[in-house]
Amino acid sequence: MAHQNILSSLENNITTITINRPSKLNALNQATIAELHKAFKEADENKKTKVIIITGSGEKAFVAGADISEFADYSVSQGEKLAAEGQAKLFDFVAHLSTPVIAAINGFALGGGLELAMAAHFRIASDNAKMGLPEVSLGVIPGYGGTQRLPQLVGKGRAMELIMTAGMIDANQALQYGLVNHVTTPEELLPLAQKLASKISGNSTVAIAAAIEAVNAGFEDGENGYEAEITQFGKCFGTADFQEGTQAFLQKRKANFPGK
Ligand code: COA
């Protein structure tokens, strides 16, 4: 069935998922979260997809947050369920995908929008982008992983300030903080995302999946990232991609990875 709130297209081994509710600044309602879950899952399971780009439609917003109109009258238990289900279906789900996910932030990335961008494996932004976690201005806190991922990315003090002030930073400040890796003009945003994606897609997909798992392990409770790295490193030696990558190097040719 066609999606109502998102667009998804596959070209040159890159799946681009676009959140498409521009009249609501692409705010994440439950229906959109469910569609995003489905689209990310399908892209991850499709062998043709080597990289996923997530972006927002229109010139104004990536995502202006969770849809406030949906949860304004929620109770304590409904609030807890909203955060738990959202994290499981979308934010943790994206962070743990084995297909690399690049967030191309094309405008406001606020609340759940910044949390979605932070769940992606890395971020780039257009120079009109504005980022923040304004939840305390609504009497709530970030509930889709923001209190954890923002300090991981920018440091505890900067995260505390951004969360407590409910302020916004612009793209250049985000670049300086290390929250985004590159800043471009709005016109160059998707071309840059595609260029990075195409560079990634020339490498071994199984090795990239192993790298994502090892990097993530260092941020998981009760996991030892160094041990995860040793396990993933060892596993690579049993893959056809490793055979191809090392043989291609020794034979002075470009590797053509089978992806297994
Ligand atoms: N949830 C629900 N609807 C939202 C939304 C959100 N998070 N963010 C924007 N919208 C809606 C507005 O209600 C408005 O809808 P309407 O035209 O039917 O009234 C539409 O999107 C356009 O937003 P508007 O506020 O008119 O645009 P603006 O340019 O004046 O302001 C923002 C832009 C991003 C500063 C402002 O929309 C905003 O503060 N949004 C909420 C951000 C937030 O607190 N996010 C965290 C949520 S937990």
Side-chain angles (χ1 to χ4, degrees):
M1 203 180 83
H3 298 295
Q4 304 297 311
N5 302 292
I6 66 169
L7 306 166
S8 181
S9 66
L10 170 62
E11 208 178 326
N12 299 327
N13 296 119
I14 303 164
T15 290
T16 303
I17 299 174
T18 307
I19 301 160
N20 190 31
R21 297 180 78 212
S23 69
K24 295 289 173 195
L25 302 187
N26 302 323
L28 293 177
N29 58 4
Q30 292 307 299
T32 306
I33 289 179
E35 288 183 13
L36 283 169
H37 171 80
K38 203 160 167 260
F40 275 110
K41 189 165 188 281
E42 277 169 12
D44 187 56
E45 286 168 356
N46 184 346
K47 279 263 172 207
K48 286 192 185 133
T49 297
K50 295 194 174 174
V51 181
I52 301 169
I53 296 171
I54 174 80
T55 194
S57 73
E59 286 151 19
K60 204 165 160 183
F62 173 74
V63 171
D67 192 320
I68 299 166
S69 65
E70 258 190 3
F71 62 73
D73 61 355
Y74 273 16
S75 65
V76 170
S77 61
Q78 283 175 307
E80 203 175 313
K81 189 164 173 253
L82 181 75
E85 287 186 356
Q87 290 193 17
K89 259 197 240 164
L90 185 58
F91 300 84
D92 276 358
F93 187 75
V94 166
H96 290 96
L97 285 182
S98 52
T99 307
V101 181
I102 305 173
I105 305 173
N106 58 306
F108 287 113
L110 301 175
L114 182 56
E115 289 171 303
L116 178 58
M118 292 193 295
H121 298 123
F122 65 90
R123 290 142 294 284
I124 63 172
S126 55
D127 53 22
N128 62 328
K130 292 236 160 44
M131 287 157 250
L133 294 177
E135 284 86 347
V136 299
S137 70
L138 298 166
V140 68
I141 68 167
Y144 287 149
T147 65
Q148 305 306 300
R149 292 198 177 98
L150 188 62
Q152 285 165 11
L153 287 163
V154 306
K156 189 174 169 186
R158 285 166 169 167
M160 285 287 199
E161 183 182 333
L162 251 183
I163 291 170
M164 288 176 190
T165 59
M168 286 186 214
I169 55 171
D170 64 19
N172 283 317
Q173 180 93 65
L175 182 66
Q176 200 197 320
Y177 277 12
L179 184 54
V180 302
N181 294 3
H182 305 276
V183 174
T184 69
T185 61
E187 299 72 36
E188 280 303 307
L189 183 68
L190 279 183
L192 176 61
Q194 285 151 2
K195 193 170 148 197
L196 292 163
S198 118
K199 199 161 177 195
I200 292 168
S201 61
N203 295 320
S204 159
T205 49
V206 284
I208 287 171
I212 292 172
E213 203 160 324
V215 172
N216 277 342
F219 295 93
E220 307 288 344
D221 255 357
E223 280 214 49
N224 181 317
Y226 292 96
E227 278 171 16
E229 182 181 279
I230 291 167
T231 306
Q232 293 300 327
F233 181 79
K235 268 194 192 166
C236 290
F237 286 70
T239 67
D241 274 12
F242 174 75
Q243 292 302 318
E244 169 60 11
T246 47
Q247 284 311 304
F249 177 82
L250 295 172
Q251 293 162 12
K252 300 192 189 304
R253 61 175 172 83
K254 196 173 175 307
N256 183 14
F257 291 109
K260 52 187 186 182

